[in-house]
Amino acid sequence: MRRERTRAERLTEGLTVAVASVLSLVLLAGPAVVFGSTAWHLVTDTGTTTFGRLAAPVVFLVLMALPPVLAHVVFRWGRRKGREPLTAAVPGVLTLLGASVVPLAALCLTFVYAD
């Protein structure tokens, strides 16, 4: 028999989902702009090799697509276990927040070690 959740539990889950979603989007905004403009310059620059024109945008796209894909996998896993949508969304959005640090770290490393 399933236990009915209290209003406070639902509110806490909702706030967790909302705050983590906003934070992850903020964390992804900077790298998305920088990686997008860098990829555009690499593709349109005349001195770039064909490999560089293909590889750089693909790497940047993978870095930016990784967090939402991981969050979706975790959310679907929670739904398959029979959890309610909001309860299943909490681990998914926390995964999104954690994975959003990866592109930000890549951007920071690029700034630190760039010539």
Side-chain angles (χ1 to χ4, degrees):
M1 181 162 65
R2 293 180 80 163
R3 179 181 70 87
E4 190 65 32
R5 296 178 313 136
T6 65
R7 183 172 187 234
E9 288 175 328
R10 290 191 311 267
L11 181 65
T12 303
E13 288 175 350
L15 284 174
T16 302
V17 169
V19 169
S21 296
V22 168
L23 283 175
S24 64
L25 290 176
V26 167
L27 285 173
L28 285 173
V33 170
V34 172
F35 290 158
S37 63
T38 302
W40 176 257
H41 286 292
L42 284 172
V43 169
T44 58
D45 190 22
T46 56
T48 308
T49 64
T50 304
F51 177 76
R53 289 182 182 191
L54 284 170
V58 168
V59 169
F60 295 152
L61 181 64
V62 167
L63 274 175
M64 296 311 298
L66 184 66
V69 169
L70 286 175
H72 178 72
V73 168
V74 171
F75 175 72
R76 295 300 300 164
W77 176 75
R79 289 296 291 151
R80 274 194 294 258
K81 289 187 106 179
R83 295 181 180 154
E84 294 180 17
L86 189 58
T87 305
V90 171
V93 79
L94 291 177
T95 302
L96 177 63
L97 180 60
S100 298
V101 175
V102 173
L104 185 66
L107 179 64
C108 291
L109 287 173
T110 302
F111 284 150
V112 169
Y113 292 108
D115 288 333

